[in-house]
Amino acid sequence: MATERTLSIIKPDATRRNLTGKINTVFEDSGLRIVAQKRIQLSDAQAGAFYAVHKERPFYASLVSSMTAAPVVVQVLEGENAVLRHREVMGATDPKKADAGTVRALYAESIEANSVHGSDSLENAKTEIAFFFAETEILP
Ligand code: GDP
Ligand code: MG
């Protein structure tokens, strides 16, 4: 199995409710290692660019505004099959469909305010990590 890195974001709905530590525990208990982490305030331009793939979707403006409503915690997670493992512990996009014990089942407020983002492929993980982190900020 391959050691991978993936990009994680703890979203404003979760930072506002002081859930960063509880969510990090779910990640760490699943075998993922936090090898970079910072709390930042996204600008409209940053959030819009990060979610550009969704710009034709009806919820795009609302998603961008939800991502700038409070600080986020951006992270690089490392581990065996990290991209898929992270997606599994995050749970489905819609918390009503998320498996018990996943971050979204435990903590999400709605399909939009769903507490966490995770890269959906190794290729996108590389792009998304580079969006937020210099290689020198990642310390395995
Ligand atoms: P993810 O990869 O599981 O985060 O889901 P997507 O890439 O499909 O969507 C990106 C983000 O857009 C989700 O995490 C939600 O915050 C938001 N989102 C997705 N679908 C919907 C929707 O139907 N309505 C609203 N309001 N937001 C959505
Ligand atoms: Mg996605």
Side-chain angles (χ1 to χ4, degrees):
M1 282 205 278
T3 298
E4 296 176 350
R5 288 177 180 173
T6 195
L7 191 277
S8 164
I9 305 178
I10 300 178
K11 294 183 177 184
D13 71 272
T15 63
R16 199 191 270 131
R17 287 177 289 146
N18 211 21
L19 293 171
T20 299
K22 288 195 170 77
I23 291 171
N24 279 347
T25 296
V26 176
F27 294 158
E28 290 180 339
D29 285 351
S30 80
L32 295 165
R33 180 172 291 269
I34 300 162
V35 295
Q37 175 168 260
K38 56 191 173 189
R39 182 174 171 98
I40 58 173
Q41 173 64 51
L42 291 178
S43 66
D44 275 359
Q46 276 178 307
F50 185 78
Y51 276 124
V53 64
H54 295 303
K55 66 175 178 294
E56 306 304 333
R57 310 281 286 276
F59 56 80
Y60 176 69
S62 174
L63 173 61
V64 169
S65 100
S66 79
M67 290 298 289
T68 60
V72 295
V73 174
V74 292
Q75 311 172 304
V76 180
L77 305 180
E78 187 176 270
E80 295 294 321
N81 293 319
V83 173
L84 185 60
R85 182 166 299 188
H86 182 222
R87 294 289 303 191
E88 283 173 355
V89 295
M90 283 168 51
T93 308
D94 181 352
K96 292 192 211 106
K97 297 178 184 158
D99 289 342
T102 61
V103 172
R104 283 165 166 171
L106 287 166
Y107 301 122
E109 294 182 317
S110 67
I111 192 168
E112 181 172 281
N114 59 2
S115 301
V116 283
H117 165 86
S119 307
D120 62 6
S121 70
L122 194 53
E123 190 188 348
N124 286 340
K126 291 191 166 82
T127 309
E128 292 181 358
I129 289 168
F131 189 94
F132 290 110
F133 292 97
E135 195 58 36
T136 51
E137 294 178 291
I138 305 170
L139 300 169

